[in-house]
Amino acid sequence: MKKIVSLLLSVAICAMVLSACGSSGGENGVVYVYNWGEYIDPETIEMFEEETGIDVIYEEYETNEIMYPKIEAGAANYDVVCPSDYMIQKMIENDLLQELNWDNIPNASNIGDQYYEQSEQFDPGNKYSVPYCWGTVGILYNKTMVDEPITSWSVLWDEKYENNILMQDSVRDAFMVALKLNGHSMNTLDETELQEAKDLLIEQKPLVQAYVVDQVRDKMIGGEAAIGVIYSGEAIYTQRENPDLVYVIPDEGTNVWIDSWCILKDAENVENAEKFIDFMCRPEIALMNFEYITYSTPNDAAKELIEDEDIRNSDIAFPDLSQYNNLETFQYLGDKGDEVYNNLWKEIKAE
């Protein structure tokens, strides 16, 4: 879900033709793709265009919450989108996605069974989505600035790290940390559990240097903070830049997320969308994207192509999830549930 974000519009975007292309309807040699920032190797798009003759009109978004209202309002005629787990569930419930014709996406068989099993939590029957990237949320710490190995979310409340802690500026991720620390589900709607989590996050505020998203990466690389909550894909990148950084999944459990390719209900270029998704599921193409964005690929055939044994066997990139307790995937909690979390987050930020 979650992920390297950017305000840049990506490679191959052609804003001036967004409304012109596709207005005639049907298969017309284009496919409109809406994806996270910096979440694909631009070369793979060029390769797809060269092989198929299909022009990729490509646009980026920062968060699921920015993407969703644009899709819901029909503000642009996208064909392919890459939401996160809980957002896929929301889009299914609101009839914004179409069921996939798996016969037209044969390379989807390269995705490991365990990822389809996980997808069942938000896409029952795996009817609407093809896993693209996955990962965990954990703690990144600088071993030159931290006195002991970290194993628990509780370190984020340790006063000796005051002003050296980075928290995610994300309502669900922040609450996940507090809820897991208290032994609760990160998908809870229990009023008492949520109030306890809110109080815990308010208690933590004086210790937090900053609430950030992608900035945690650069701050940790530069030694500007001792501890940060981070996505595993970001952790892989940071360790390349600073070998003093260590990533851990806390004992209390965490979020395991999946971002997946989907085709919108009103897509005008369905055949081209299927070709695009199938192309991205090729082992060599999935490998290129993994090496470019550093987020774990669910493509087992691509993983076998990784030449660097340290990466192929990395506990960060490809952890054995059976070794961890209390792992969950975010679920869509309904509009009322979203409102509850958002209101509590506003209370925390207002303190």
Side-chain angles (χ1 to χ4, degrees):
M1 160 171 69
K2 334 254 226 28
K3 331 304 183 263
I4 303 173
V5 295
S6 168
L7 290 175
L8 298 174
L9 291 180
S10 79
V11 176
I13 186 169
C14 184
M16 290 185 295
V17 299
L18 250 173
S19 58
C21 294
S23 59
S24 59
E27 305 297 336
N28 47 27
V30 298
V31 61
Y32 294 87
V33 179
Y34 198 25
N35 194 12
W36 296 85
E38 297 182 27
Y39 212 40
I40 200 168
D41 184 341
E43 188 176 349
T44 65
I45 295 177
E46 295 172 4
M47 293 168 65
F48 173 79
E49 291 179 322
E50 183 176 351
E51 178 177 315
T52 65
I54 298 168
D55 292 327
V56 178
I57 311 301
Y58 191 92
E59 191 173 345
E60 297 178 348
Y61 54 86
E62 284 190 272
T63 68
N64 286 293
E65 285 67 33
I66 290 174
M67 174 274 296
Y68 181 83
K70 194 171 182 180
I71 298 296
E72 184 181 38
N77 51 345
Y78 302 114
D79 300 304
V80 179
V81 68
C82 190
S84 301
D85 31 57
Y86 71 96
M87 188 56 69
I88 293 172
Q89 182 182 353
K90 180 176 182 177
M91 295 176 82
I92 292 171
E93 291 185 12
N94 288 288
D95 199 29
L96 294 177
L97 303 178
Q98 64 176 267
E99 292 191 22
L100 300 174
N101 184 340
W102 294 94
D103 291 338
N104 295 335
I105 314 174
N107 284 315
S109 62
N110 292 316
I111 307 301
D113 290 342
Q114 63 176 314
Y115 306 106
Y116 283 122
E117 291 171 5
Q118 185 180 338
S119 295
E120 289 270 3
Q121 296 182 46
F122 55 86
D123 178 10
N126 292 296
K127 296 178 180 180
Y128 297 90
S129 61
V130 180
Y132 173 55
C133 291
W134 73 284
T136 59
V137 179
I139 294 174
L140 187 72
Y141 68 94
N142 190 319
K143 60 186 179 183
T144 69
M145 302 171 69
V146 174
D147 297 337
E148 69 285 326
I150 289 176
T151 59
S152 170
W153 291 115
S154 62
V155 72
L156 299 171
W157 279 261
D158 193 326
E159 293 182 357
K160 66 183 174 183
Y161 299 115
E162 181 179 359
N163 203 39
N164 261 314
I165 296 170
L166 301 174
M167 279 289 288
Q168 284 287 319
D169 191 12
S170 163
V171 54
R172 292 297 297 271
D173 286 319
F175 268 90
M176 180 276 291
V177 172
L179 288 166
K180 286 296 185 184
L181 182 58
N182 283 338
H184 303 312
S185 168
M186 65 188 196
N187 293 306
T188 185
L189 285 172
D190 182 274
E191 183 177 345
T192 300
E193 294 174 356
L194 288 173
Q195 286 293 329
E196 290 174 352
K198 183 197 78 170
D199 293 341
L200 201 57
L201 290 169
I202 290 174
E203 176 189 332
Q204 181 203 33
K205 277 191 72 175
L207 307 179
V208 175
Q209 178 192 116
Y211 294 90
V212 290
V213 184
D214 55 327
Q215 299 97 324
V216 65
R217 175 184 54 176
D218 296 331
K219 282 180 172 288
M220 292 300 295
I221 290 172
E224 298 178 42
I227 303 169
V229 179
I230 199 169
Y231 300 108
S232 55
E234 298 270 32
I236 296 170
Y237 176 84
T238 61
Q239 287 187 326
R240 291 178 180 174
E241 302 297 317
N242 186 341
D244 290 327
L245 299 177
V246 179
Y247 178 81
V248 294
I249 297 174
D251 292 341
E252 297 91 355
T254 191
N255 171 28
V256 179
W257 55 267
I258 292 182
D259 294 338
S260 301
W261 296 118
C262 302
I263 299 177
L264 293 172
K265 183 71 174 288
D266 297 329
E268 295 183 350
N269 305 290
V270 175
E271 182 179 339
N272 295 345
E274 292 169 340
K275 289 179 179 178
F276 180 84
I277 295 173
D278 190 59
F279 186 85
M280 293 300 157
C281 290
R282 287 186 189 175
E284 66 275 15
I285 300 302
L287 176 64
M288 289 177 64
N289 283 322
F290 167 68
E291 292 178 338
Y292 184 84
I293 64 177
T294 71
Y295 278 90
S296 303
T297 176
N299 193 308
D300 284 350
K303 180 183 176 184
E304 293 304 313
L305 297 178
I306 298 174
E307 295 182 357
D308 187 330
E309 289 189 12
D310 289 338
I311 293 295
R312 190 171 64 247
N313 299 318
S314 168
D315 289 337
I316 301 176
F318 303 104
D320 179 359
L321 297 182
S322 66
Q323 302 302 307
Y324 300 95
N325 298 316
N326 302 318
L327 301 179
E328 293 182 274
T329 296
F330 280 128
Q331 296 177 5
Y332 171 54
L333 302 175
D335 290 341
K336 290 185 178 179
D338 284 348
E339 184 178 0
V340 168
Y341 273 83
N342 289 332
N343 287 339
L344 290 171
W345 184 238
K346 289 177 182 177
E347 292 180 34
I348 295 166
K349 287 298 191 74
E351 284 291 327

